[in-house]
Amino acid sequence: MQVDQLKVKITAINEVAPTIREFCLVPVDGELLPFSPGSHVVVEMDGGEKTYKNAYSLLSDPRDVSAYRIAVRLQDASRGGSKFMHEQVTVGDELKISTPANLFAPHWPAKKHVLIAGGVGITPFMAYLPELERRGADFELHYLYRSSQTGAYRELLSKRLGGRYFDYDSLGGSRCDAVEVLSNRNLGTHFYVCGPESLLSTVQQVAADLGIPDSAIHYETFAAPKPGEPFEAEISETGQVIPVGAEESLLEALEAAGVEVPNLCRGGVCGQCQCKVVSGDIEHRDNFLSAQDKAAGQSIMPCVSRSKSPRLVLDI
Amino acid sequence: MRLAPKAIQTFRDDFTYSNSPEAIQRFPFPFPEDEYRYSVNIEPHTPKEGPGSAYEHLFDIDEHYLSEMHERALVLKEMPERCLSMPHMDLAGWDMVERVMVSLTEDYPQHFTLTRNGDNWRWENKLLNIDDSFTFGNTGTLPLEPMEYIGRQMQGDFTLLDQREGDLYMDAGIITCPADWSLAFDAGMSFSEWHGPVPMAKDSTIFERALKYLTAIQVGKPVRRLNWTMTINARMDTSPETYHRWGHERTTVTPENVGEKVYLRVELQVLDRMPRSNALLFSIRTYLMSLEDIVTNPVWAKRLHRVMKTLPQALIDYKGLSRYHTTVVDYLAAFDKAN
């Protein structure tokens, strides 16, 4: 009845933009599961000394169970994962992935769907499109990118979507005016944003100014954990002390020390890895805990958040 | 050894429903402690208690299959609105079709066969003499909408919960054996809205925590919990829509008939993430066991006595036991002399 990790093999790698590579994954044995648009998988990479785990959106047709496709942008300040995918992984390699999980599903009762993608944030929408088309849904796609780095699939999208596609290449001087995109929409219009934090905050600000309710704005920001000051984590029950380096997340340090913590998104969104904090000063960086929870200082999301004090005591 | 479904018995009028000794033995008795505590009590839906147990397979098919399918057809004939699906839930219905057909074929190959050739599927249900071919995902190729089609071939009630805004919405369901709740009333409600009537719900963080847990359930990792109440006579359909037929039966319990008339009603609830739609399938598999069958197991008899004796008044009222609760406790006391 229970399915855990899947073993997949890389059958193709394509450069789909200057800094983005697309990987085609097929199952080593058994079958892939169909998935829902907006799903991601956590890819586990064995980098010798360190195991990298990064979440990537599935961009293939959700009903195609013959292969999954993901696209990985080489991050300027890669903590190792995207660099590993770009430089170490070759066709024929095997990787472990989690089963698909969805934190960014379409709001199906919506009357209209407005998709706003920034750079590699196009990936979840690639999986939205076939399902939106099958349902005959009303939608449009706004795609912001810089063609010297990103802009994957833009020709294909332009051809496929015609008048429903809006293209903004900042290198060509084409800017997207969020006020224009969000203004004068009919009731029942929902907006979906996937891209850098700056794109999301712009859209959120414009929406707030226009009086569009939060419930009509959906977003996915898988911020990779940002570095910080090193600190120590202590497990209250066992007294075990685990050093957390500047470049690694608390979750990664716990896992490396053999402390299992349930997790899904590894990006401060899903809430699965929440840990109780006995003492220490938390630097909250997640989008899950409420402002009230954060102020209380009794819980931390170890996938992205850190400690301001030299030691954080956890009740795990 | 798992029992073959037996000939049709009734859950109404003459109430011919009965449990065989084997069915009694595999009954999912819901009380792990002498005192009933309100809790979320969710665990992974993995096999336990060995071959033939109610927890062996994702969906439990037992000796009452034909009786329950007959009863479901009677309810839907009279009240078609007991099966509802909002238009955006069509894909979730197909998810359910696949999950059920694949599981039943693997778990009960003697009764069910699914043959797949791309999207061309053939489904044989030998228990109900069904042999249908259809195109997966194309609702026009089935005689009924997907959820209703497969729901009419499954024991227990089903809802499909749409997940959005971090909440769950009851946007589809086939509910013909509810423990006094109405799909038509709850349709479209959010998780906290449909749990509104539960005592203590307002002051408790249980439901908040439960919702966080449920919205994170992953594909391929179903979970389960047990819930319970009591029902007078072996009546499956205790819905608000038919209250006028069964509500008054609660006044008919006497010290003489309590053992045969009062049934412990247990729901094995399973929550399973649907892959294509991201909906949550909530299956509610109901087991009815008369007190006189329960007390054939001395451990259960004692335990049930202690649970009933210490049940808080708010729960006695919420579960509709007020009229006959004392009679039940008195009856069970005979099997728990020390207490």
Side-chain angles (χ1 to χ4, degrees):
Chain A
M1 298 182 214
Q2 307 273 323
V3 185
D4 290 309
Q5 270 188 326
L6 305 164
K7 216 192 232 181
V8 292
K9 190 177 193 155
I10 313 279
T11 56
I13 302 176
N14 288 303
E15 194 176 293
V16 289
T19 62
I20 302 176
R21 283 189 180 192
E22 183 198 279
F23 297 82
C24 184
L25 317 172
V26 302
V28 170
D29 38 44
E31 291 182 328
L32 293 175
L33 296 158
F35 61 93
S36 51
S39 294
H40 71 271
V41 293
V42 173
V43 178
E44 195 176 305
M45 296 159 255
D46 182 6
E49 275 174 29
K50 197 177 165 189
T51 301
Y52 303 108
K53 285 186 181 176
N54 283 2
Y56 295 110
S57 296
L58 295 173
L59 63 89
S60 36
D61 184 333
R63 298 204 194 176
D64 179 5
V65 293
S66 63
Y68 287 163
R69 286 186 291 132
I70 58 171
V72 179
R73 185 196 199 288
L74 180 62
Q75 298 298 332
D76 305 328
S78 172
R79 295 165 51 263
S82 70
K83 202 163 183 289
F84 184 91
M85 289 298 287
H86 271 251
E87 293 171 8
Q88 304 290 317
V89 174
T90 56
V91 169
D93 283 1
E94 287 182 7
L95 292 171
K96 274 189 253 171
I97 62 171
S98 68
T99 52
N102 199 336
L103 301 166
F104 191 48
H107 184 99
W108 288 120
K111 299 271 185 283
K112 172 149 190 161
H113 308 266
V114 177
L115 319 180
I116 305 169
V120 75
I122 191 66
T123 49
F125 298 134
M126 296 298 288
Y128 271 45
L129 298 177
E131 200 56 43
L132 288 166
E133 286 170 341
R134 274 192 283 264
R135 294 190 187 212
D138 186 4
F139 71 94
E140 58 190 54
L141 170 66
H142 296 261
Y143 189 12
L144 296 69
Y145 60 89
R146 188 168 183 81
S147 57
S148 56
Q149 296 168 343
T150 60
Y153 314 116
R154 60 183 189 269
E155 290 90 3
L156 187 146
L157 288 166
S158 170
K159 210 160 127 191
R160 176 170 177 178
L161 303 181
R164 292 184 294 190
Y165 176 69
F166 300 85
D167 183 280
Y168 312 91
D169 179 1
S170 66
L171 199 67
S174 166
R175 314 294 290 191
C176 174
D177 181 356
V179 176
E180 203 175 298
V181 173
L182 271 72
S183 294
N184 299 315
R185 295 292 186 172
N186 289 333
L187 288 174
T189 303
H190 281 246
F191 302 89
Y192 306 80
V193 189
C194 186
E197 189 70 39
S198 55
L199 176 63
L200 172 64
S201 51
T202 303
V203 171
Q204 281 177 320
Q205 187 56 53
V206 170
D209 293 346
L210 293 171
I212 297 170
D214 285 349
S215 56
I217 311 286
H218 311 275
Y219 57 89
E220 181 155 78
T221 49
F222 278 145
K226 293 190 183 74
E229 293 297 314
F231 62 97
E232 288 176 336
E234 179 185 326
I235 310 298
S236 64
E237 202 188 348
T238 60
Q240 189 182 0
V241 176
I242 299 161
V244 184
E247 293 291 325
E248 65 183 343
S249 71
L250 172 55
L251 177 63
E252 288 165 344
L254 291 170
E255 287 175 337
V259 180
E260 293 291 329
V261 181
N263 63 86
L264 266 183
C265 76
R266 306 178 76 85
V269 180
C270 73
Q272 283 299 290
C273 67
Q274 184 170 354
C275 295
K276 271 194 215 159
V277 174
V278 180
S279 68
D281 196 4
I282 307 163
E283 185 184 341
H284 293 288
R285 295 175 168 185
D286 62 277
N287 290 314
F288 178 77
L289 293 173
S290 65
Q292 206 179 348
D293 289 340
K294 285 180 182 172
Q298 288 168 349
S299 286
I300 187 170
M301 312 308 300
C303 59
V304 288
S305 297
R306 305 182 67 85
S307 178
K308 284 191 249 182
S309 49
R311 183 171 286 198
L312 201 63
V313 182
L314 302 172
D315 176 11
I316 299 180
Chain B
M1 183 57 202
R2 187 168 281 263
L3 291 173
K6 56 189 183 189
I8 293 172
Q9 297 179 319
T10 58
F11 296 99
R12 51 177 74 203
D13 306 322
D14 57 348
F15 296 106
T16 60
Y17 171 84
S18 67
N19 282 293
S20 69
E22 294 79 6
I24 296 173
Q25 194 262 324
R26 73 194 295 282
F27 178 65
F29 188 75
F31 304 110
E33 294 169 29
D34 282 349
E35 207 169 307
Y36 176 63
R37 245 191 290 250
Y38 222 41
S39 71
V40 180
N41 67 315
I42 298 179
E43 62 180 5
H45 190 25
T46 49
K48 67 173 181 183
E49 296 179 11
S53 94
Y55 310 102
E56 184 183 10
H57 299 306
L58 180 62
F59 301 109
D60 184 37
I61 302 291
D62 70 7
E63 65 179 15
H64 305 300
Y65 181 82
L66 295 176
S67 307
E68 290 187 36
M69 294 307 92
H70 180 70
E71 167 72 12
R72 165 152 294 157
L74 289 176
V75 173
L76 289 175
K77 191 170 178 199
E78 192 192 359
M79 300 180 186
E81 70 279 8
R82 302 283 287 276
C83 176
L84 296 172
S85 179
M86 296 186 191
H88 64 275
M89 299 305 284
D90 186 64
L91 183 59
W94 281 106
D95 268 331
M96 176 177 162
V97 164
E98 180 185 43
R99 187 66 160 148
V100 170
M101 288 184 180
V102 170
S103 303
L104 293 189
T105 299
E106 281 172 8
D107 297 337
Y108 310 94
Q110 69 277 36
H111 302 315
F112 307 98
T113 309
L114 174 66
T115 315
R116 286 186 281 186
N117 180 9
D119 285 340
N120 297 317
W121 291 24
R122 178 180 175 192
W123 170 244
E124 294 163 85
N125 175 342
K126 298 180 187 79
L127 295 173
L128 295 178
N129 297 314
I130 290 171
D131 183 350
D132 285 331
S133 294
F134 57 92
T135 307
F136 184 83
N138 183 339
T139 297
T141 62
L142 277 180
L144 295 165
E145 293 205 355
M147 180 193 65
E148 179 170 0
Y149 175 77
I150 199 64
R152 281 177 179 264
Q153 301 178 49
M154 291 293 287
Q155 287 177 266
D157 282 346
F158 293 84
T159 66
L160 284 163
L161 311 175
D162 192 32
Q163 184 161 325
R164 50 183 196 265
E165 298 151 25
D167 209 334
L168 296 166
Y169 293 85
M170 200 175 291
D171 288 350
I174 177 164
I175 306 293
T176 66
C177 51
D180 200 4
W181 67 280
S182 162
L183 175 66
F185 186 79
D186 286 358
M189 282 189 184
S190 71
F191 186 79
S192 57
E193 286 168 343
W194 82 70
H195 282 107
V198 181
M200 285 116 67
K202 278 194 192 67
D203 320 314
S204 154
T205 58
I206 283 183
F207 289 96
E208 206 178 306
R209 280 189 285 126
L211 180 61
K212 272 188 188 175
Y213 180 89
L214 298 179
T215 51
I217 288 175
Q218 286 179 269
V219 171
K221 295 201 183 296
V223 299
R224 67 172 168 241
R225 70 182 285 261
L226 293 177
N227 197 10
W228 71 276
T229 186
M230 285 180 161
T231 297
I232 307 309
N233 298 322
R235 187 182 291 279
M236 270 291 177
D237 182 19
T238 51
S239 57
E241 288 91 341
T242 55
Y243 184 81
H244 56 287
R245 291 182 197 156
W246 58 268
H248 62 88
E249 290 180 338
R250 297 190 286 212
T251 65
T252 63
V253 180
T254 66
E256 292 70 38
N257 67 20
V258 57
E260 56 171 314
K261 227 173 170 43
V262 176
Y263 281 72
L264 182 58
R265 179 184 192 104
V266 173
E267 297 176 347
L268 170 54
Q269 305 178 342
V270 175
L271 290 131
D272 191 20
R273 176 73 58 197
M274 296 290 99
R276 294 177 184 77
S277 59
N278 204 39
L280 205 53
L281 175 66
F282 181 32
S283 66
I284 309 158
R285 176 74 165 79
T286 294
Y287 299 81
L288 289 171
M289 189 70 53
S290 65
L291 293 187
E292 63 183 12
D293 282 345
I294 297 262
V295 300
T296 60
N297 180 326
V299 176
W300 290 352
K302 235 184 244 180
R303 172 68 50 81
L304 187 58
H305 173 243
R306 293 172 191 192
V307 166
M308 294 307 290
K309 208 174 140 181
T310 56
L311 199 63
Q313 189 61 42
L315 284 177
I316 294 174
D317 295 339
Y318 170 64
K319 290 181 183 287
L321 319 179
S322 318
R323 287 268 189 174
Y324 56 90
H325 176 254
T326 312
T327 314
V328 166
V329 174
D330 291 347
Y331 169 78
L332 292 169
F335 305 92
D336 188 19
K337 297 248 162 59
N339 199 293

